[in-house]
Amino acid sequence: MLTLVLGGAASGKSGYAESLVLKTALPRYYIATMQVWDAECAARVEKHRKMRAAKQFETVECPLHLENIRLPARGTVLLEDLGNLTANELYDPAGTGENAASAILEGLDQLAGQCAHLIVVSNEVFSGGADYAGDTGRYLKALAQVNNALAARADHVVRVVCGIPVYYKGVEK
């Protein structure tokens, strides 16, 4: 089962995705894609790790190369989020660069094969317009490629607006 949860900044998409996972049996894995650049990032990661542990998530830090993840047992996976992962793959020297979209999709396929349910959180793109140049355009295009391909494969596609889930594919569980 694959669910794509989309939304804008502070839309409630992450909270909604977590609520879906909390309805499932253990084990629960949280794939965190944020890169740690400084002490502030490290503190944020530690705070989130503690919050997730209280919800019985096992956190897997993976800012690059999803294809390297090996889960110890089948369960439910929450990947947070494709926006970070795409930027990391595009711009980190150790990332996949111009091949970011295809590498991420291959990694998602491998991850989906290791779990009973994969819930992926991503950002809406192009709601503010479509004419972007340079690195911004490159990033938005890559993320849109991943979102579109993932939506086509997904059993459920839901957009969260002001905390309200709106299903575009599948039905709310």
Side-chain angles (χ1 to χ4, degrees), residues 16-54:
Y16 182 73
E18 276 193 21
S19 77
L20 293 176
V21 176
L22 294 176
K23 295 176 185 177
T24 67
L26 299 174
R28 297 178 185 137
Y29 302 99
Y30 193 110
I31 310 297
T33 61
M34 186 174 128
Q35 286 193 336
V36 177
W37 299 108
D38 56 22
E40 183 180 333
C41 289
R44 185 173 173 199
V45 165
E46 187 55 33
K47 174 185 165 195
H48 287 159
R49 187 180 276 275
K50 286 178 182 174
M51 288 170 33
R52 293 189 295 262

Side-chain angles (χ1 to χ4, degrees), residues 134-168:
D135 281 344
T136 301
R138 188 171 141 219
Y139 167 77
L140 291 173
K141 181 179 178 188
L143 184 55
Q145 287 173 331
V146 175
N147 283 350
N148 291 344
L150 198 56
R153 298 174 188 176
D155 301 290
H156 303 275
V157 177
V158 58
R159 178 176 171 229
V160 180
V161 182
C162 300
I164 301 168
V166 179
Y167 276 74
Y168 290 90

Side-chain angles (χ1 to χ4, degrees), residues 10 14 28 32 46 61 71 73 85 90 97 106-107 109 124-125 156:
S14 297
R28 297 178 185 137
E46 187 55 33
E61 304 290 344
L71 299 176
L85 184 61
L90 272 173
E106 287 173 25
D109 285 344
E124 290 184 287
V125 294
H156 303 275

